[in-house]
Amino acid sequence: MSTSSLQAVNVDTDATATNGVESDEDQVKTSDILSLDSIRSTLIRQEETIIFALIERAQYRHNQAVYKKSENLGNPPGSVVPEGLEDEPSSFLEYFLIGTEALHYAVRRFTSPEENAFFPDRLPQEKVMEELEYPNLLSSVGGAIDVNFNEILMKKYIEVVVPSIAVHGDDEQHGSTVLCDVAVLQAISKRVHYGKFVAESKYLADPEGYQRLVDAGDSDGVMELLTNSAVEAKVLRRARLKAATYGREPLLADMPALKTSKEYDSSIVAAAAAAAVVGAIEAMGTDDDGKHDKISPSMVESVYRDIIIPLTKDIEVAYLFRRCGKEPPPQFAPDRMSTDEP
């Protein structure tokens, strides 16, 4: 379980070893993986994963019971219990997520630098698969590579995201609910922690500039230097458009009757694409009664605007401070967002 860019390194290496022939196309350089264009391409591909996961979660009601602490759940299979936490209560979501992470760890999920566990202290000690060797894409200076903001992500997801996308109430589908919750949390976690790769790429492009700001304790200056407002605006628009497109049923009435000839294949695809675009554009312009939407496009946009983008930037700032040998300021601690009220 690794990023597509990291997979490319491993797959190409295996192919070379098997065939004994190397070509320029087989070689992937670390500088290419860390280029901002390559990182942005990866982040764009992750948008579908996040949006589809949100759509899946939105089909169930809030089901607040799965987020409440309980003392009767026990220890999830495969996980370990840190000393002193034997009787620590947990919610059904936490129980399910701890068990999921323990299982995934056994097959080396969290050995990849792009993966960050929500409960790293609950992971087992042994794996059933040998570890892979990854290129050194992130810096270990100051513990930068270990920056982990999943604590605040979990809090924001439960308190902000779920109430915004799920209908109030309880439908008793608690198992399906937490299954979807885990998919959303892991997808968003992967996305926001990709900020470490973004930060490393930007640091390498201007190490003196970032070092000077960090030495001065100027977190606002660091934030300003790494912010690209034009790119953020495109991300928000694209997220809303994708949510409007994927979150609606296709308009079958606008499609031609199905026939078996190949000529009609292309016309069906073209009509379906056109209908999807029209519906998406309509949804982009206004929020109607939402009767055709599986999820509100504006809500997906707000998740990106209020949670994903600012949390990614907080991770970038924390990484850059550690990368430059300093502790991040208190507002960039992993248990809060810098946009929160003091």
Side-chain angles (χ1 to χ4, degrees):
M1 297 184 179
S2 55
T3 63
S4 56
S5 56
L6 296 183
Q7 283 178 333
V9 173
N10 292 321
V11 169
D12 287 344
T13 301
D14 292 341
T16 300
T18 301
N19 300 329
V21 178
E22 295 184 358
S23 68
D24 291 341
E25 293 182 355
D26 292 328
Q27 306 308 308
V28 180
K29 297 181 179 179
T30 301
S31 58
D32 295 329
I33 297 173
L34 272 180
S35 72
L36 286 178
D37 286 341
S38 175
I39 293 171
R40 285 170 184 155
S41 177
T42 300
L43 295 179
I44 289 172
R45 289 196 300 273
Q46 290 177 16
E47 290 169 2
E48 282 82 3
T49 304
I50 292 172
I51 292 170
F52 278 118
L54 289 169
I55 290 172
E56 286 296 295
R57 176 58 183 90
Q59 69 182 299
Y60 302 109
R61 291 186 176 268
H62 189 165
N63 293 333
Q64 194 170 6
V66 305
Y67 309 117
K68 293 182 178 180
K69 301 281 187 178
S70 172
E71 298 180 0
N72 303 317
L73 297 179
N75 185 44
S79 65
V80 299
V81 181
E83 186 176 354
L85 297 181
E86 292 85 357
D87 299 322
E88 185 77 9
S90 63
S91 67
F92 184 37
L93 171 59
E94 290 171 337
Y95 177 88
F96 194 89
L97 182 52
I98 291 170
T100 299
E101 289 189 336
L103 177 62
H104 289 184
Y105 181 78
V107 292
R108 67 190 178 202
R109 175 171 192 164
F110 300 107
T111 61
S112 170
E114 50 133 14
E115 297 285 359
N116 296 266
F118 282 81
F119 297 95
D121 58 341
R122 305 295 299 271
L123 297 176
Q125 301 299 315
E126 298 182 355
K127 309 180 191 68
V128 297
M129 301 176 69
E130 294 183 2
E131 292 191 17
L132 295 175
E133 291 186 10
Y134 293 95
N136 295 321
L137 301 180
L138 298 176
S139 172
S140 59
V141 174
I145 192 174
D146 297 320
V147 167
N148 187 328
F149 275 52
N150 278 335
E151 179 181 353
I152 185 60
L153 171 57
M154 170 86 82
K155 185 177 189 310
K156 293 293 183 180
Y157 175 74
I158 294 172
E159 296 179 357
V160 179
V161 177
V162 172
S164 72
I165 65 172
V167 176
H168 180 73
D170 193 300
D171 56 15
E172 298 184 342
Q173 305 303 305
H174 295 173
S176 297
T177 295
V178 296
L179 190 64
C180 291
D181 284 332
V182 169
V184 177
L185 284 167
Q186 291 184 331
I188 295 180
S189 173
K190 183 175 181 178
R191 199 283 184 193
V192 298
H193 285 98
Y194 237 83
K196 293 190 283 188
F197 293 91
V198 176
E200 179 66 17
S201 178
K202 292 183 176 181
Y203 173 83
L204 294 176
D206 186 12
E208 293 82 7
Y210 283 107
Q211 188 69 56
R212 182 173 60 254
L213 291 169
V214 169
D215 287 343
D218 187 0
S219 58
D220 291 338
V222 173
M223 180 69 79
E224 182 179 355
L225 187 58
L226 61 79
T227 296
N228 189 327
S229 299
V231 170
E232 291 179 12
K234 288 181 181 179
V235 170
L236 293 176
R237 182 170 178 81
R238 194 167 56 240
R240 181 165 182 151
L241 178 59
K242 288 180 178 180
T245 303
Y246 306 147
R248 287 195 167 195
E249 294 294 338
L251 304 177
L252 298 179
D254 294 336
M255 294 178 61
L258 296 177
K259 296 185 179 181
T260 57
S261 65
K262 292 183 178 180
E263 289 78 7
Y264 267 82
D265 289 347
S266 58
S267 64
I268 290 171
V269 173
V277 169
V278 170
I281 291 175
E282 290 176 351
M284 285 283 288
T286 181
D287 281 331
D288 54 18
D289 57 11
K291 62 182 179 181
H292 301 299
D293 296 335
K294 298 175 184 176
I295 195 169
S296 167
S298 65
M299 288 300 180
V300 173
E301 181 183 17
S302 70
V303 170
Y304 266 84
R305 184 186 62 247
D306 301 332
I307 305 293
I308 294 178
I309 290 178
L311 187 53
T312 301
K313 292 163 68 174
D314 283 358
I315 289 171
E316 291 179 34
V317 172
Y319 178 92
L320 286 165
F321 264 80
R322 292 187 179 278
R323 179 72 166 84
C324 295
K326 296 240 178 193
E327 281 290 317
Q331 65 267 35
F332 295 98
D335 61 348
R336 56 161 296 158
M337 290 179 63
S338 64
T339 54
D340 291 340
E341 293 292 331

